[in-house]
Amino acid sequence: MVHISRPVLWINTIGSGVVGMWLTGTFLDLRAVPVLLWLALPFNLLIYGVNDVYDQETDAANPRKGSLEGARIEPSEVRLIAWGVAATNLPFLAWFVLALPWQATAVALLYAGVFVYYSAEPLRFKARPFLDSLSNAAYALPLVLVPAALDETPVWPAALGLMAWSVAKHPFDAVQDIVEDREAGITTTAVRLGPRGTALWSGAWWTLSSVLFALVSVPVAVVNLLIAGTLVVRLLRDPTPATGHRLYPASVAFPYVAGAFAGVLLTVAIFLGRWP
C-alpha cells in the first residue's frame, strides 16, 4: 500500500498543507494535524490507488512502472486496494464533517472527488486532453483547505499560483508516457500537443504561476521561474518522450527545492514577525 501511494510524491500534498498552515502565521496549530495526517498516506493512496486500478492496461506496458515512479498491480489486488483506500480515508472524512467548518469539509470532498474522477469513469479526466492538466489544479487545494480548517482566509495569490504550477507540471511529466498512452488509446494533453507543444503549454502556466507567486514573494517567484525555465528549455532542445523521461527526476525534485526555499523564507519571516 505504501508503494502504491508513491511516497516520493507526498510532498505535493502534505508539503502544500504545511505551507498552507504556515501562511496563516503559525508554525503548528494542533487543529491542522488531522488534515496534515490525511494528506500523507491516506490521500496519496486514494489518488494513486484509484489511478493504478483504472490504468492497469497502460501500466502493464509501461517500463517505468513497478519502481519508485509508480506501482504495477495485478487484477487480484484491486479489491484489497479499494478496501485500503476506504479504510484509510473514510475515518478522516467523517472527522472533518464532525469537527471542521463546513467550508473546509467542502474543500476536502472536492479535493478527493477531483482525484477519484481523474482516473475513474465516467468523467476520467486523465483521458480528456486539457482537462487532465486543468484538473491537476486541485493539487493546490491544501493551501485553501488548511486555512479553512483553522477559520483563516487563504492567501489566494499563493493558492492560485500553485494551481497554475500544477496545471503546468502534469502534462510536462506525462511527456515520457506519450508512446504508451497513444498505444492504449488515451489522449492526454501531452499526446495531443506532442513534446514541443507540451513544453510551451507548461512554460506558459509556469510563467503565470511565477507572476502570482511574485505577489507574495519575489524570491520564490524567481526560483520557480529559473527551475521551470530550465526544464522547459531542455525539453524544447530535444522534444522527445525520452527527454521527458530523463527530465522526470528533476521534475520530481522541483517541488522539493522550490518548496524548501519558500518554506525557509516563510518560517524566517514568521519568526521575525514579518508575516503575516
Side-chain angles (χ1 to χ4, degrees):
M1 289 296 179
V2 174
H3 182 204
I4 290 171
S5 73
R6 320 281 208 274
V8 72
L9 300 179
W10 289 10
I11 186 68
N12 295 322
T13 56
I14 192 170
S16 300
V18 171
V19 171
M21 180 176 63
W22 288 347
L23 285 171
T24 67
T26 182
F27 288 114
L28 177 63
D29 190 315
L30 293 179
R31 294 174 297 170
V33 170
V35 179
L36 297 177
L37 290 175
W38 179 58
L39 294 173
L41 172 64
F43 189 72
N44 283 280
L45 182 59
L46 181 149
I47 297 174
Y48 300 112
V50 173
N51 181 260
D52 287 348
V53 166
Y54 281 89
D55 282 4
Q56 293 177 69
E57 180 182 352
T58 54
D59 287 350
N62 192 328
R64 73 184 184 89
K65 298 297 182 178
S67 67
L68 287 176
E69 298 184 30
R72 184 183 289 124
I73 68 168
E74 299 294 333
S76 60
E77 297 176 289
V78 169
R79 178 170 294 183
L80 177 62
I81 292 170
W83 276 107
V85 170
T88 55
N89 281 272
L90 290 179
F92 281 97
L93 293 174
W95 172 255
F96 297 162
V97 170
L98 295 173
L100 298 185
W102 71 267
Q103 296 93 331
T105 302
V107 173
L109 292 174
L110 173 64
Y111 194 29
V114 168
F115 282 109
V116 166
Y117 285 108
Y118 170 80
S119 300
E121 300 290 358
L123 299 180
R124 193 159 164 75
F125 300 131
K126 175 185 174 69
R128 300 177 186 272
F130 305 112
L131 281 178
D132 62 337
S133 176
L134 294 171
S135 67
N136 271 252
Y139 269 115
L141 286 177
L143 293 186
V144 179
L145 170 59
V146 174
L150 302 178
D151 281 324
E152 299 282 351
T153 301
V155 178
W156 285 109
L160 293 172
L162 188 56
M163 288 180 187
W165 187 93
S166 301
V167 169
K169 190 172 187 297
H170 175 269
F172 189 90
D173 289 348
V175 166
Q176 63 187 319
D177 294 326
I178 285 176
V179 174
E180 290 81 10
D181 285 340
R182 185 182 289 127
E183 290 177 350
I186 298 175
T187 305
T188 64
T189 299
V191 169
R192 175 66 61 83
L193 295 178
R196 183 181 299 276
T198 301
L200 296 174
W201 167 271
S202 295
W205 283 100
W206 270 326
T207 299
L208 175 59
S209 72
S210 294
V211 172
L212 291 164
F213 289 151
L215 299 177
V216 182
S217 171
V218 171
V220 170
V222 170
V223 168
N224 183 70
L225 193 59
L226 285 174
I227 299 174
T230 299
L231 291 173
V232 169
V233 168
R234 289 183 64 183
L235 182 57
L236 285 173
R237 285 178 176 172
D238 184 17
T240 64
T243 301
H245 183 64
R246 287 195 297 272
L247 291 174
Y248 183 66
S251 180
V252 170
F254 189 172
Y256 283 92
V257 175
F261 182 76
V264 168
L265 290 184
L266 184 54
T267 54
V268 169
I270 294 172
F271 181 78
L272 296 177
R274 300 182 64 181
W275 183 269

